[in-house]
Amino acid sequence: AQTVTQSQPEMSVQEAETVTLSCTYDTSESNYYLFWYKQPPSRQMILVIRQEAYKQQNATENRFSVNFQKAAKSFSLKISDSQLGDTAMYFCAFITGTASKLTFGTGTRLQVTL
Amino acid sequence: NAGVMQNPRHLVRRRGQEARLRCSPMKGHSHVYWYRQLPEEGLKFMVYLQKENIIDESGMPKERFSAEFPKEGPSILRIQQVVRGDSAAYFCASSPAQGFGGELFFGEGSRLTVL
């Protein structure tokens, strides 16, 4: 079975600080993609960042970067210079080459405070 | 270029009634996915459709739930004889090709409340 585990139900960070959200996954396949989605209070699902498993280089999108450890099946998200607008639920997800669906974790609720 | 459009945004039904949720994919997208999000949980896959075909319905409950994506018009998720446990947010996503490797574009969701 393919699973995604987010062990931090809630996290808090002060504005301008850095925070790291953790995610581990389990799959027997070698070819897959990993994602972090953001769900603000509006409930829209917004793609934050994507990582191809065959790429060793960690993906980066502005203030968002990942630490992808393939052997450990770990895929953490680092948010630098946190902003109030980063307050949201963050979901880790992945999809394999043979599957047609994203598997999501249970999410981490991030609160950015002044 | 309009995004994925879902309607209604909010739907209230009494137990035993039917709920119909609609999803119009982004222009040029022929693949549609439905996900359900229960309160305080992540999204759970329900069904994956292409035009006139159900490709993967492994996440659909065996009874009362059905989905279609006709040649013309939006994709429809239909829930018959709703029960309180069906209360959830239902998200539709679309992609131009099978989702592997590509981004799924999500709609804003339809929130179903069953009284």
Side-chain angles (χ1 to χ4, degrees), chain A residues 90-106:
Chain A
Y90 286 82
F91 293 98
C92 178
F94 83 102
I95 189 167
T96 66
T98 58
S100 56
K101 53 185 179 281
L102 280 170
T103 299
F104 283 87
T106 52

Side-chain angles (χ1 to χ4, degrees), chain A residues 18-54:
Chain A
T18 295
V19 64
T20 299
L21 310 182
S22 65
C23 171
T24 58
Y25 59 93
D26 189 23
T27 180
S28 58
E29 302 207 19
S30 59
N31 196 18
Y32 51 89
Y33 284 71
L34 295 154
F35 306 84
W36 278 97
Y37 278 88
K38 169 184 177 181
Q39 188 179 41
S42 67
R43 302 200 70 82
Q44 177 91 41
M45 293 291 289
I46 302 165
L47 179 66
V48 174
I49 199 165
R50 179 177 79 173
Q51 173 80 42
E52 293 90 340
Y54 63 85

